[in-house]
Amino acid sequence: VQLQASGGGLVQAGGSLRLSCVASDRAFSNYDMAWFRQAPGKEREFVAAIIWSGFKSDSVKGRSTISRDNAKNTLYLQMDNLEPEDTATYYCAASLSAYDGGSSRYTKSGEYHYWGQGTLVTVSS
């Protein structure tokens, strides 16, 4: 599957952005999907995931919402009340086996086999 991320940009602190990720595979609904981000000089980190079954998890409680529209083969990440620390390149990722129903391995980048090209989010103070 090919993934195309978009929606990044420059926003002031306290603002909002919605990132999108369009998948090329018609079987999009079967994939476990996630957003990761990587700030300059830092490791890639987990932001949020939404599993094919509907299970959701996010690391930025109360400020981000992950969702998917299977009819449009699209993954979203709504981010509100952005902070300068949220500045990073955001990547969408897909896997057919990231979630096992018990562990947190779906938060690990190595569990995802397909990656988008990244979209840059810059939050100014």
Side-chain angles (χ1 to χ4, degrees):
V1 60
Q2 293 183 326
L3 303 173
Q4 182 70 39
S6 63
L10 175 63
V11 62
Q12 290 188 332
S16 298
L17 280 176
R18 187 176 81 157
L19 307 183
S20 300
C21 174
V22 179
S24 63
D25 194 335
R26 292 183 179 181
F28 172 75
S29 62
N30 294 335
Y31 287 88
D32 301 332
M33 301 297 298
W35 289 98
F36 289 79
R37 67 185 181 185
Q38 188 166 19
K42 295 188 177 181
E43 293 186 354
R44 191 167 296 189
E45 65 176 356
F46 172 78
V47 176
I50 182 167
I51 307 306
W52 66 269
S53 61
F55 171 80
K56 296 182 184 181
S57 176
D58 66 78
S59 65
V60 189
K61 301 298 183 183
R63 296 197 298 115
S64 68
T65 303
I66 190 170
S67 62
R68 66 194 298 165
D69 185 336
N70 290 334
K72 296 182 178 180
N73 288 0
T74 303
L75 175 74
Y76 301 101
L77 183 69
Q78 175 69 38
M79 299 189 295
D80 300 310
N81 195 21
L82 284 161
E83 302 173 351
E85 293 72 23
D86 295 317
T87 294
T89 298
Y90 285 70
Y91 298 90
C92 55
S95 172
L96 289 171
S97 59
Y99 184 65
D100 61 8
S103 73
S104 61
R105 73 179 200 186
Y106 63 89
T107 68
K108 310 302 182 185
S109 60
E111 295 295 331
Y112 294 85
H113 311 111
Y114 308 99
W115 290 85
Q117 84 288 2
T119 185
L120 178 63
V121 172
T122 303
V123 184
S124 63
S125 58

